[in-house]
């Protein structure tokens, strides 16, 4: 294809032929990454109604790498077909070129297609350190929708160790929404990398001035299934906020250690809220049942 030609909508047969042609070129190290018209035609291949063929085009463009970025940016920003925009964002995940971040953010915040939003934040998440501050800014902003903030919060959980320093710093943000979002992201760091600094920051969240953050921290500790955090959870069984107390009790039940029974019983004796007492009783009963089953296993 000459560089002067514009992308055209391909028939299934033409798309199949193009895929085979380019795959062969890539296998033989003969692909011309400077052929902008060909790369644009590959992006236009996302119009194909067959999902597996769209995937094939994405894999081809992923192998092209950064030379494909301009065409993908143009497709995500300007194409009238939402399927193409979704595929462009997903393919950016394969390339992880930081230069795509502004376009991905714009798509997340303004595209009319909600699936594009998810695809865009997925691509942002793999950028790690480069995307972490951008995602944090979205969560902190008063201008963006709750949906966008929720997706950005989800994206923070995937920034990995490269983005960890931004999370460590943001846990002290003035905005409770940011601190709450960061707790969730720190949880992923503990689960995936045994990040002890992240664990300490989550535990610190139990004493946050915001009940929302304290509750998020308690829930996070429950997800970690680490019996060592039970004493920390025990400190918030008497929290002034009922949601925090409830979340802490459920977290202790989820961890499943018999060490939680005594603090839960003490909390039950002191609890005056009729809505929380059943939660405490349930947690105690479940832990006692588990302990009995474990004891029976030694008979």
């Amino acid at each position: 294809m000459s560089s002067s030609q514009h992308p055209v909508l391909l028939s299934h047969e033409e798309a199949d032929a193009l895929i085979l042609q380019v795959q062969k070129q890539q296998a033989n190290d003969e692909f011309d990454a400077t052929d902008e018209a060909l790369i644009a035609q590959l992006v236009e291949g996302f119009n194909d109604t067959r999902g597996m063929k769209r995937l094939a085009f994405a894999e081809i463009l992923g192998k092209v790498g950064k030379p494909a970025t301009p065409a993908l940016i143009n497709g995500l920003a300007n194409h009238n077909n939402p399927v193409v925009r979704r595929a462009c964002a997903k393919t950016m995940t394969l390339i992880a070129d930081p230069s795509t971040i502004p376009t991905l953010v714009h798509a997340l915040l303004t595209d009319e297609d909600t699936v594009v939003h998810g695809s865009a934040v997925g691509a942002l998440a793999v950028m790690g350190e480069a995307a972490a501050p951008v995602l944090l800014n979205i969560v902190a902003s008063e201008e963006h929708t709750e949906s966008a903030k929720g997706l950005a919060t989800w994206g923070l959980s995937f920034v990995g160790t490269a983005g960890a320093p931004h999370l460590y710093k943001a846990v002290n943000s003035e905005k409770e929404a940011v601190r709450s979002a960061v707790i969730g992201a720190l949880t992923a760091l503990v689960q995936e990398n045994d990040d002890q600094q992240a664990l300490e920051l989550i535990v610190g969240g139990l004493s946050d001035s915001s009940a929302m953050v304290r509750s998020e921290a308690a829930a996070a500790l429950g997800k970690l299934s680490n019996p060592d955090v039970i004493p920390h959870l025990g400190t918030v069984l008497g929290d002034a906020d009922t949601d925090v107390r409830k979340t802490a009790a459920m977290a202790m039940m989820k961890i499943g250690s018999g060490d939680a029974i005594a603090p839960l019983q003490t909390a039950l004796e002191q609890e005056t809220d009729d809505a929380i007492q059943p939660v405490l009783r349930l947690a105690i009963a479940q832990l006692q049942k588990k302990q009995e089953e474990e004891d029976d296993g030694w008979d």
Side-chain angles (χ1 to χ4, degrees):
M1 176 184 299
S2 118
S3 59
S4 63
Q5 289 179 287
H6 296 290
V8 295
L9 188 61
L10 300 176
S11 67
H12 285 178
E13 293 76 13
E14 289 170 331
D16 293 344
L18 178 61
I19 290 170
L20 290 174
Q21 171 195 334
V22 176
Q23 286 176 335
K24 181 178 180 180
Q25 290 175 349
Q26 290 181 325
N28 295 330
D29 198 24
E30 297 173 348
F31 182 81
D32 182 5
T34 67
D35 190 338
E36 297 178 1
L38 175 56
I39 293 174
Q41 186 66 73
L42 293 169
V43 171
E44 202 66 23
F46 290 142
N47 274 297
D48 201 293
T49 56
R50 300 166 296 174
M52 292 304 296
K53 298 303 178 179
R54 294 197 299 273
L55 177 60
F57 279 115
E59 290 174 342
I60 287 171
L61 288 162
K63 291 179 181 178
V64 172
K66 289 187 178 182
T69 293
L72 291 169
I73 287 176
N74 182 58
L76 177 56
N78 301 310
H79 207 284
N80 60 4
N81 184 349
V83 174
V84 174
R85 300 199 301 276
R86 297 170 192 171
C88 286
K90 291 175 182 176
T91 306
M92 289 176 181
T93 304
L94 303 177
I95 299 173
D97 183 349
S99 71
T100 62
I101 288 177
T103 305
L104 288 165
V105 170
H106 187 265
L108 167 60
L109 298 177
T110 67
D111 198 282
E112 62 186 19
D113 184 77
T114 57
V115 179
V116 170
H117 300 169
S119 300
V121 80
L124 285 168
V126 303
M127 306 289 179
E129 192 276 336
V134 174
L135 293 169
L136 287 166
N137 286 338
I138 292 172
V139 175
S141 175
E142 302 294 335
E143 300 176 3
H144 305 316
T145 65
E146 290 304 313
S147 174
K149 292 182 180 183
L151 284 169
T153 297
W154 175 80
L156 285 171
S157 297
F158 296 92
V159 297
T161 55
H166 293 284
L167 301 179
Y168 299 156
K169 182 179 179 180
V171 80
N172 296 314
S173 170
E174 296 181 355
K175 295 181 178 291
E176 68 173 4
V178 173
R179 301 197 302 276
S180 180
V182 168
I183 292 294
L186 292 172
T187 306
L189 289 177
V190 179
Q191 291 173 319
E192 296 171 12
N193 304 296
D194 193 27
D195 188 323
Q196 292 303 299
Q197 183 175 352
L199 177 58
E200 291 176 6
L201 292 173
I202 296 170
V203 171
L206 294 173
S207 58
D208 195 275
S209 60
S210 164
M212 179 175 73
V213 177
R214 296 197 302 275
S215 184
E216 185 69 29
L221 292 175
K223 293 176 184 177
L224 298 178
S225 301
N226 181 355
D228 292 341
V229 305
I230 287 175
H232 298 296
L233 286 166
T235 65
V236 291
L237 286 175
D239 195 275
D241 186 87
T242 56
D243 285 339
V244 175
R245 300 201 300 277
K246 177 180 178 181
T247 303
M250 296 302 292
M252 295 172 86
M253 181 180 75
K254 189 172 183 178
I255 291 171
S257 171
D259 293 343
I261 294 175
L264 285 167
Q265 287 176 328
T266 299
L268 178 59
E269 294 169 1
Q270 299 173 351
E271 183 59 63
T272 59
D273 192 321
D274 292 341
I276 302 300
Q277 290 171 351
V279 177
L280 292 166
R281 292 193 186 96
L282 173 64
I284 293 168
Q286 290 295 320
L287 291 172
Q288 288 175 333
K289 179 181 179 181
K290 181 177 180 182
Q291 193 170 53
E292 290 170 0
E293 291 173 347
E294 291 174 349
D295 291 341
D296 290 343
W298 289 98
D299 291 343

